[in-house]
Amino acid sequence: MTPRPHRAHLPEERTESTAPLPPPELTEAECRRCGTYIAGLDGRYACGVCGWVNDHSEGHRRLPRADEDPDRPAKGRRRPKQLPGPPPEPMPEAAPEPAPEPSPGP
């Protein structure tokens, strides 16, 4: 597979749009390190065999900004703090084994 040519980094226009983002495209390629056949989204890959990851700038489309995230809380609201889970229960201590009984003598 030939590497994708890099373009000069141009400042992207920031338009305030409420239109939903198009869904990501499933893309496939070979891992550049080990050759495993891998799949990714919009040309961004991570190999589960050897751990290779391509740079995010090699993707086919720009990544969405935080304000384009549909799950982002409204302005002025913060996500609620996560409460700590219940404390771990103490491990039950094993009862000491009884000492062997002495055998009766002759």
Side-chain angles (χ1 to χ4, degrees), residues 3 5 15 21 33 37 41-42 50 55 58 63 65-66 73-74 82 102:
T15 58
L21 294 172
R33 185 182 297 162
Y37 193 69
L41 296 176
D42 291 331
C50 70
D55 190 71
E58 296 179 44
L63 291 170
R65 299 186 319 259
Q82 295 291 325

Side-chain angles (χ1 to χ4, degrees), residues 27-38:
T27 53
E28 300 168 338
E30 286 185 14
C31 172
R32 294 181 196 161
R33 185 182 297 162
C34 69
T36 302
Y37 193 69
I38 54 178

Side-chain angles (χ1 to χ4, degrees), residues 14-101:
R14 293 196 172 219
T15 58
E16 297 302 320
S17 172
T18 58
L21 294 172
E25 176 187 353
L26 184 63
T27 53
E28 300 168 338
E30 286 185 14
C31 172
R32 294 181 196 161
R33 185 182 297 162
C34 69
T36 302
Y37 193 69
I38 54 178
L41 296 176
D42 291 331
R44 294 177 178 92
Y45 304 103
C47 179
V49 176
C50 70
W52 172 82
V53 178
N54 72 333
D55 190 71
H56 73 278
S57 64
E58 296 179 44
H60 301 166
R61 291 188 273 192
R62 71 171 180 81
L63 291 170
R65 299 186 319 259
D67 60 348
E68 295 171 327
D69 182 359
D71 297 327
R72 184 177 183 189
K75 287 186 178 181
R77 286 190 58 203
R78 293 184 180 166
R79 292 182 188 243
K81 288 185 179 180
Q82 295 291 325
L83 298 175
E89 295 182 19
M91 297 284 292
E93 292 185 26
E97 294 184 24
E101 294 183 25

